[in-house]
Amino acid sequence: MNFLIIYGAENSAQKDSLADFLAENKISSSAFLLSENSPVLLDAVPSKLDGITHCAILDKNSLGKNFSFTLGFALGQGICVYALKTGAIKNSEGFKNLCRFDSFEEFDSFIRENIGKIVAEDVRRRAWKKLFDSGNPFTPDSLAIHVEKDNREIVRTYIDAGMSLNERTSLGTPMLNVAIRAEQVDEVKWILEHEIDLDAVSRDRGYSALMDCVWKKNLELAKILVEKGVNLDFTSTDGQSALVLAVGEGNAKMVELLAQAGANPDNADALGMSAYAYAKLFKRDDLVQILEKYRHEK
């Protein structure tokens, strides 16, 4: 984010105040002094606009005879312009990136109250451009591709551009499940640092993130979700819990992890069978012994 402050000699104190405020917020700025004896040349201000994202015009009186060209050039470059109202500004309608103010005090109050939103919008705009320039469509399916590959920088760019990690693919798979199915441990840990729905159910398999850990037989990822406080007794669309799935897989370590963490061995599925009942049905004495320790009904 980079400001250009255009000002007249009588606006020097206002320029300094604005520059100091921007510096306090870690925003870089440069200044261009207008003069009665040095009107704006066609190549003067435009040459200063390279790399500029925002322009503040503080001078009402000595803008020079070429001001309209300068204003149009800045707006045409997509630069957000904040300006005090003048004859030229009053006639500049239809530009969404032009904000007009009756006085410096009004502008100063606005910028101080909205600097957080202004910075956030600049981040979003830059991220959009970065995705566009790199050929990455702004779609959940495209985001999922980079989640699968743990392309962290690109995933961050999608988030900066306004996409949520709670988005789903066209098949209905949440991004957390995408990362788990790809067994991207670091990506899963990073995703869990954000506000995420731990128990979102994928529409393709009907599984929660924890169930996908069981399906992938990935104990490490299951431990991570357990530590995050995932719902251990959450049931899939077919009525089964992660613990029932673990028994069905015959995964003793996963069964121990889930039961020890608090998953109920006696919760019945849609068929009326519990994890404990399945362990007995499958004659898995090792699983029966594990679940015996954690049964709520004995």
Side-chain angles (χ1 to χ4, degrees):
M1 191 169 178
N2 194 9
F3 263 76
L4 173 64
I5 305 172
I6 299 176
Y7 70 105
E10 67 273 22
N11 308 111
S12 181
Q14 295 172 342
K15 180 266 296 182
D16 291 341
S17 174
L18 177 58
D20 288 344
F21 173 73
L22 294 173
E24 290 171 5
N25 286 274
K26 300 180 180 179
I27 299 172
S28 60
S29 66
S30 56
F32 183 88
L33 174 63
L34 295 171
S35 169
E36 291 282 4
N37 299 322
S38 301
V40 178
L41 302 177
L42 292 181
D43 62 348
V45 172
S47 67
K48 297 282 188 180
L49 292 176
D50 186 32
I52 296 297
T53 60
H54 296 71
C55 180
I57 303 173
L58 305 184
D59 189 274
K60 275 189 174 183
N61 303 313
S62 56
L63 290 168
K65 60 183 179 182
N66 294 319
F67 171 72
S68 295
F69 168 81
T70 302
L71 177 64
F73 185 91
L75 294 174
Q77 294 294 308
I79 295 171
C80 183
V81 177
Y82 304 106
L84 304 186
K85 291 180 180 177
T86 68
I89 293 292
K90 288 177 182 178
N91 296 325
S92 300
E93 301 292 345
F95 293 99
K96 65 179 181 180
N97 51 330
L98 171 62
C99 297
R100 301 170 296 171
F101 301 91
D102 289 320
S103 65
F104 173 78
E105 290 71 25
E106 182 184 359
F107 164 64
D108 186 59
S109 177
F110 169 83
I111 200 80
R112 291 176 183 275
E113 291 176 5
N114 293 279
I115 193 63
K117 294 180 181 178
I118 292 170
V119 171
E121 175 59 25
D122 183 66
V123 169
R124 189 194 67 80
R125 183 183 63 82
R126 287 171 177 264
W128 262 92
K129 185 177 186 305
K130 185 176 180 180
L131 291 172
F132 179 81
D133 291 346
S134 60
N136 286 290
F138 191 68
T139 65
D141 283 341
S142 296
L143 171 60
I145 290 173
H146 297 291
V147 169
E148 285 179 349
K149 297 178 180 179
D150 193 15
N151 292 335
R152 187 71 52 76
E153 181 180 352
I154 300 178
V155 173
R156 282 196 183 102
T157 303
Y158 273 94
I159 295 173
D160 288 343
M163 189 168 288
S164 168
L165 285 171
N166 284 305
E167 293 283 355
R168 296 168 177 264
T169 68
S170 56
L171 294 177
T173 310
M175 294 302 149
L176 178 58
N177 297 59
V178 169
I180 287 171
R181 293 178 188 182
E183 300 188 86
Q184 294 286 4
V185 175
D186 289 339
E187 187 75 356
V188 169
K189 290 179 178 178
W190 181 75
I191 288 174
L192 291 174
E193 293 174 3
H194 300 76
E195 290 187 10
I196 200 79
D197 185 355
L198 286 174
D199 301 310
V201 178
S202 63
R203 289 192 286 270
D204 55 352
R205 295 185 61 85
Y207 281 4
S208 68
L210 182 60
M211 292 169 192
D212 271 335
C213 292
V214 176
W215 172 49
K216 298 299 291 188
K217 301 179 177 63
N218 195 310
L219 195 66
E220 181 180 6
L221 287 174
K223 286 180 179 178
I224 292 170
L225 290 184
V226 167
E227 290 172 359
K228 273 292 184 177
V230 68
N231 185 347
L232 295 165
D233 291 321
F234 195 87
T235 56
S236 65
T237 53
D238 60 5
Q240 292 188 317
S241 67
L243 185 57
V244 166
L245 293 176
V247 170
E249 294 282 351
N251 191 330
K253 290 184 178 179
M254 188 71 74
V255 169
E256 179 79 51
L257 169 69
L258 299 177
Q260 186 179 48
N264 191 341
D266 297 306
N267 279 354
D269 64 10
L271 298 177
M273 294 286 287
S274 66
Y276 180 73
Y278 278 119
K280 295 190 72 173
L281 178 66
F282 299 150
K283 302 185 186 305
R284 288 294 304 265
D285 293 338
D286 56 335
L287 302 184
V288 171
Q289 290 178 12
I290 292 171
L291 295 175
E292 279 282 3
K293 297 184 294 183
Y294 304 104
R295 290 190 68 200
H296 296 185
E297 301 172 9
K298 295 185 180 180

PDB file of all heavy atoms in Angstrom, residues 236-259:
ATOM      1  N   SER A 236     -22.134 -39.774  10.857  1.00  0.00           N
ATOM      2  CA  SER A 236     -22.171 -39.521   9.419  1.00  0.00           C
ATOM      3  C   SER A 236     -23.609 -39.542   8.932  1.00  0.00           C
ATOM      4  O   SER A 236     -24.543 -39.824   9.688  1.00  0.00           O
ATOM      5  CB  SER A 236     -21.353 -40.579   8.683  1.00  0.00           C
ATOM      6  OG  SER A 236     -21.941 -41.857   8.849  1.00  0.00           O
ATOM      7  N   THR A 237     -23.788 -39.270   7.646  1.00  0.00           N
ATOM      8  CA  THR A 237     -25.140 -39.239   7.097  1.00  0.00           C
ATOM      9  C   THR A 237     -25.817 -40.606   7.139  1.00  0.00           C
ATOM     10  O   THR A 237     -27.043 -40.690   7.066  1.00  0.00           O
ATOM     11  CB  THR A 237     -25.104 -38.734   5.641  1.00  0.00           C
ATOM     12  OG1 THR A 237     -24.162 -39.515   4.898  1.00  0.00           O
ATOM     13  CG2 THR A 237     -24.709 -37.272   5.579  1.00  0.00           C
ATOM     14  N   ASP A 238     -25.010 -41.669   7.244  1.00  0.00           N
ATOM     15  CA  ASP A 238     -25.605 -43.008   7.371  1.00  0.00           C
ATOM     16  C   ASP A 238     -25.693 -43.459   8.825  1.00  0.00           C
ATOM     17  O   ASP A 238     -25.950 -44.632   9.112  1.00  0.00           O
ATOM     18  CB  ASP A 238     -24.847 -44.043   6.533  1.00  0.00           C
ATOM     19  CG  ASP A 238     -23.386 -44.164   6.935  1.00  0.00           C
ATOM     20  OD1 ASP A 238     -22.976 -43.519   7.931  1.00  0.00           O
ATOM     21  OD2 ASP A 238     -22.646 -44.896   6.253  1.00  0.00           O
ATOM     22  N   GLY A 239     -25.460 -42.507   9.755  1.00  0.00           N
ATOM     23  CA  GLY A 239     -25.695 -42.777  11.171  1.00  0.00           C
ATOM     24  C   GLY A 239     -24.546 -43.393  11.932  1.00  0.00           C
ATOM     25  O   GLY A 239     -24.703 -43.781  13.086  1.00  0.00           O
ATOM     26  N   GLN A 240     -23.365 -43.476  11.339  1.00  0.00           N
ATOM     27  CA  GLN A 240     -22.224 -44.077  12.024  1.00  0.00           C
ATOM     28  C   GLN A 240     -21.295 -43.017  12.604  1.00  0.00           C
ATOM     29  O   GLN A 240     -21.161 -41.925  12.066  1.00  0.00           O
ATOM     30  CB  GLN A 240     -21.448 -44.975  11.061  1.00  0.00           C
ATOM     31  CG  GLN A 240     -22.208 -46.221  10.625  1.00  0.00           C
ATOM     32  CD  GLN A 240     -21.341 -47.169   9.826  1.00  0.00           C
ATOM     33  OE1 GLN A 240     -20.590 -46.759   8.957  1.00  0.00           O
ATOM     34  NE2 GLN A 240     -21.443 -48.462  10.130  1.00  0.00           N
ATOM     35  N   SER A 241     -20.649 -43.388  13.711  1.00  0.00           N
ATOM     36  CA  SER A 241     -19.685 -42.497  14.346  1.00  0.00           C
ATOM     37  C   SER A 241     -18.274 -42.869  13.911  1.00  0.00           C
ATOM     38  O   SER A 241     -18.041 -43.927  13.318  1.00  0.00           O
ATOM     39  CB  SER A 241     -19.788 -42.620  15.871  1.00  0.00           C
ATOM     40  OG  SER A 241     -19.361 -43.913  16.287  1.00  0.00           O
ATOM     41  N   ALA A 242     -17.325 -42.003  14.228  1.00  0.00           N
ATOM     42  CA  ALA A 242     -15.924 -42.279  13.894  1.00  0.00           C
ATOM     43  C   ALA A 242     -15.442 -43.540  14.606  1.00  0.00           C
ATOM     44  O   ALA A 242     -14.650 -44.314  14.049  1.00  0.00           O
ATOM     45  CB  ALA A 242     -15.050 -41.088  14.273  1.00  0.00           C
ATOM     46  N   LEU A 243     -15.917 -43.755  15.835  1.00  0.00           N
ATOM     47  CA  LEU A 243     -15.503 -44.939  16.594  1.00  0.00           C
ATOM     48  C   LEU A 243     -16.032 -46.218  15.937  1.00  0.00           C
ATOM     49  O   LEU A 243     -15.312 -47.230  15.859  1.00  0.00           O
ATOM     50  CB  LEU A 243     -16.002 -44.838  18.035  1.00  0.00           C
ATOM     51  CG  LEU A 243     -15.542 -45.952  18.990  1.00  0.00           C
ATOM     52  CD1 LEU A 243     -14.022 -46.042  19.033  1.00  0.00           C
ATOM     53  CD2 LEU A 243     -16.093 -45.701  20.392  1.00  0.00           C
ATOM     54  N   VAL A 244     -17.261 -46.185  15.445  1.00  0.00           N
ATOM     55  CA  VAL A 244     -17.810 -47.339  14.730  1.00  0.00           C
ATOM     56  C   VAL A 244     -16.978 -47.612  13.469  1.00  0.00           C
ATOM     57  O   VAL A 244     -16.669 -48.769  13.154  1.00  0.00           O
ATOM     58  CB  VAL A 244     -19.292 -47.111  14.363  1.00  0.00           C
ATOM     59  CG1 VAL A 244     -19.763 -48.150  13.340  1.00  0.00           C
ATOM     60  CG2 VAL A 244     -20.161 -47.176  15.610  1.00  0.00           C
ATOM     61  N   LEU A 245     -16.606 -46.550  12.777  1.00  0.00           N
ATOM     62  CA  LEU A 245     -15.781 -46.716  11.573  1.00  0.00           C
ATOM     63  C   LEU A 245     -14.431 -47.331  11.929  1.00  0.00           C
ATOM     64  O   LEU A 245     -13.921 -48.195  11.201  1.00  0.00           O
ATOM     65  CB  LEU A 245     -15.566 -45.362  10.885  1.00  0.00           C
ATOM     66  CG  LEU A 245     -16.799 -44.693  10.271  1.00  0.00           C
ATOM     67  CD1 LEU A 245     -16.417 -43.325   9.717  1.00  0.00           C
ATOM     68  CD2 LEU A 245     -17.396 -45.552   9.178  1.00  0.00           C
ATOM     69  N   ALA A 246     -13.844 -46.875  13.034  1.00  0.00           N
ATOM     70  CA  ALA A 246     -12.544 -47.394  13.452  1.00  0.00           C
ATOM     71  C   ALA A 246     -12.624 -48.880  13.799  1.00  0.00           C
ATOM     72  O   ALA A 246     -11.720 -49.660  13.473  1.00  0.00           O
ATOM     73  CB  ALA A 246     -12.024 -46.601  14.654  1.00  0.00           C
ATOM     74  N   VAL A 247     -13.725 -49.281  14.435  1.00  0.00           N
ATOM     75  CA  VAL A 247     -13.920 -50.704  14.741  1.00  0.00           C
ATOM     76  C   VAL A 247     -14.069 -51.483  13.439  1.00  0.00           C
ATOM     77  O   VAL A 247     -13.505 -52.573  13.278  1.00  0.00           O
ATOM     78  CB  VAL A 247     -15.151 -50.899  15.646  1.00  0.00           C
ATOM     79  CG1 VAL A 247     -15.510 -52.389  15.755  1.00  0.00           C
ATOM     80  CG2 VAL A 247     -14.892 -50.326  17.035  1.00  0.00           C
ATOM     81  N   GLY A 248     -14.831 -50.929  12.512  1.00  0.00           N
ATOM     82  CA  GLY A 248     -15.019 -51.588  11.231  1.00  0.00           C
ATOM     83  C   GLY A 248     -13.713 -51.763  10.477  1.00  0.00           C
ATOM     84  O   GLY A 248     -13.515 -52.748   9.753  1.00  0.00           O
ATOM     85  N   GLU A 249     -12.796 -50.791  10.654  1.00  0.00           N
ATOM     86  CA  GLU A 249     -11.480 -50.879  10.020  1.00  0.00           C
ATOM     87  C   GLU A 249     -10.554 -51.829  10.782  1.00  0.00           C
ATOM     88  O   GLU A 249      -9.490 -52.202  10.279  1.00  0.00           O
ATOM     89  CB  GLU A 249     -10.827 -49.484   9.966  1.00  0.00           C
ATOM     90  CG  GLU A 249     -11.534 -48.483   9.059  1.00  0.00           C
ATOM     91  CD  GLU A 249     -11.214 -48.709   7.598  1.00  0.00           C
ATOM     92  OE1 GLU A 249     -10.317 -49.536   7.303  1.00  0.00           O
ATOM     93  OE2 GLU A 249     -11.852 -48.072   6.745  1.00  0.00           O
ATOM     94  N   GLY A 250     -10.947 -52.187  11.999  1.00  0.00           N
ATOM     95  CA  GLY A 250     -10.102 -53.043  12.820  1.00  0.00           C
ATOM     96  C   GLY A 250      -8.844 -52.340  13.288  1.00  0.00           C
ATOM     97  O   GLY A 250      -7.815 -52.976  13.549  1.00  0.00           O
ATOM     98  N   ASN A 251      -8.933 -51.007  13.428  1.00  0.00           N
ATOM     99  CA  ASN A 251      -7.774 -50.185  13.762  1.00  0.00           C
ATOM    100  C   ASN A 251      -7.716 -49.988  15.280  1.00  0.00           C
ATOM    101  O   ASN A 251      -8.333 -49.074  15.834  1.00  0.00           O
ATOM    102  CB  ASN A 251      -7.877 -48.838  13.045  1.00  0.00           C
ATOM    103  CG  ASN A 251      -6.598 -48.029  13.116  1.00  0.00           C
ATOM    104  OD1 ASN A 251      -5.843 -48.127  14.074  1.00  0.00           O
ATOM    105  ND2 ASN A 251      -6.357 -47.221  12.096  1.00  0.00           N
ATOM    106  N   ALA A 252      -6.960 -50.844  15.960  1.00  0.00           N
ATOM    107  CA  ALA A 252      -6.915 -50.833  17.423  1.00  0.00           C
ATOM    108  C   ALA A 252      -6.388 -49.517  17.981  1.00  0.00           C
ATOM    109  O   ALA A 252      -6.912 -48.997  18.977  1.00  0.00           O
ATOM    110  CB  ALA A 252      -6.069 -52.003  17.925  1.00  0.00           C
ATOM    111  N   LYS A 253      -5.351 -48.964  17.365  1.00  0.00           N
ATOM    112  CA  LYS A 253      -4.780 -47.713  17.864  1.00  0.00           C
ATOM    113  C   LYS A 253      -5.773 -46.562  17.726  1.00  0.00           C
ATOM    114  O   LYS A 253      -5.873 -45.702  18.608  1.00  0.00           O
ATOM    115  CB  LYS A 253      -3.487 -47.396  17.120  1.00  0.00           C
ATOM    116  CG  LYS A 253      -2.341 -48.327  17.456  1.00  0.00           C
ATOM    117  CD  LYS A 253      -1.054 -47.893  16.763  1.00  0.00           C
ATOM    118  CE  LYS A 253       0.103 -48.810  17.147  1.00  0.00           C
ATOM    119  NZ  LYS A 253       1.374 -48.412  16.458  1.00  0.00           N
ATOM    120  N   MET A 254      -6.518 -46.553  16.616  1.00  0.00           N
ATOM    121  CA  MET A 254      -7.514 -45.496  16.418  1.00  0.00           C
ATOM    122  C   MET A 254      -8.657 -45.668  17.405  1.00  0.00           C
ATOM    123  O   MET A 254      -9.166 -44.684  17.971  1.00  0.00           O
ATOM    124  CB  MET A 254      -8.044 -45.531  14.987  1.00  0.00           C
ATOM    125  CG  MET A 254      -8.938 -44.360  14.615  1.00  0.00           C
ATOM    126  SD  MET A 254      -8.038 -42.788  14.435  1.00  0.00           S
ATOM    127  CE  MET A 254      -7.214 -43.055  12.856  1.00  0.00           C
ATOM    128  N   VAL A 255      -9.070 -46.897  17.623  1.00  0.00           N
ATOM    129  CA  VAL A 255     -10.138 -47.177  18.592  1.00  0.00           C
ATOM    130  C   VAL A 255      -9.723 -46.708  19.978  1.00  0.00           C
ATOM    131  O   VAL A 255     -10.504 -46.063  20.691  1.00  0.00           O
ATOM    132  CB  VAL A 255     -10.476 -48.682  18.603  1.00  0.00           C
ATOM    133  CG1 VAL A 255     -11.388 -49.017  19.790  1.00  0.00           C
ATOM    134  CG2 VAL A 255     -11.147 -49.091  17.297  1.00  0.00           C
ATOM    135  N   GLU A 256      -8.497 -47.013  20.369  1.00  0.00           N
ATOM    136  CA  GLU A 256      -7.982 -46.602  21.683  1.00  0.00           C
ATOM    137  C   GLU A 256      -7.964 -45.083  21.803  1.00  0.00           C
ATOM    138  O   GLU A 256      -8.382 -44.522  22.824  1.00  0.00           O
ATOM    139  CB  GLU A 256      -6.582 -47.159  21.890  1.00  0.00           C
ATOM    140  CG  GLU A 256      -5.923 -46.776  23.205  1.00  0.00           C
ATOM    141  CD  GLU A 256      -6.408 -47.598  24.393  1.00  0.00           C
ATOM    142  OE1 GLU A 256      -6.405 -48.839  24.292  1.00  0.00           O
ATOM    143  OE2 GLU A 256      -6.770 -46.981  25.417  1.00  0.00           O
ATOM    144  N   LEU A 257      -7.481 -44.407  20.763  1.00  0.00           N
ATOM    145  CA  LEU A 257      -7.411 -42.940  20.779  1.00  0.00           C
ATOM    146  C   LEU A 257      -8.796 -42.330  20.979  1.00  0.00           C
ATOM    147  O   LEU A 257      -8.978 -41.461  21.843  1.00  0.00           O
ATOM    148  CB  LEU A 257      -6.804 -42.437  19.467  1.00  0.00           C
ATOM    149  CG  LEU A 257      -6.897 -40.918  19.229  1.00  0.00           C
ATOM    150  CD1 LEU A 257      -5.999 -40.161  20.201  1.00  0.00           C
ATOM    151  CD2 LEU A 257      -6.540 -40.575  17.788  1.00  0.00           C
ATOM    152  N   LEU A 258      -9.750 -42.766  20.180  1.00  0.00           N
ATOM    153  CA  LEU A 258     -11.086 -42.167  20.229  1.00  0.00           C
ATOM    154  C   LEU A 258     -11.812 -42.490  21.526  1.00  0.00           C
ATOM    155  O   LEU A 258     -12.439 -41.617  22.135  1.00  0.00           O
ATOM    156  CB  LEU A 258     -11.908 -42.638  19.030  1.00  0.00           C
ATOM    157  CG  LEU A 258     -11.351 -42.268  17.642  1.00  0.00           C
ATOM    158  CD1 LEU A 258     -12.229 -42.851  16.546  1.00  0.00           C
ATOM    159  CD2 LEU A 258     -11.237 -40.760  17.486  1.00  0.00           C
ATOM    160  N   ALA A 259     -11.736 -43.727  21.960  1.00  0.00           N
ATOM    161  CA  ALA A 259     -12.424 -44.128  23.195  1.00  0.00           C
ATOM    162  C   ALA A 259     -11.812 -43.436  24.406  1.00  0.00           C
ATOM    163  O   ALA A 259     -12.522 -42.965  25.303  1.00  0.00           O
ATOM    164  CB  ALA A 259     -12.374 -45.642  23.359  1.00  0.00           C
TER     165      ALA A 259
END
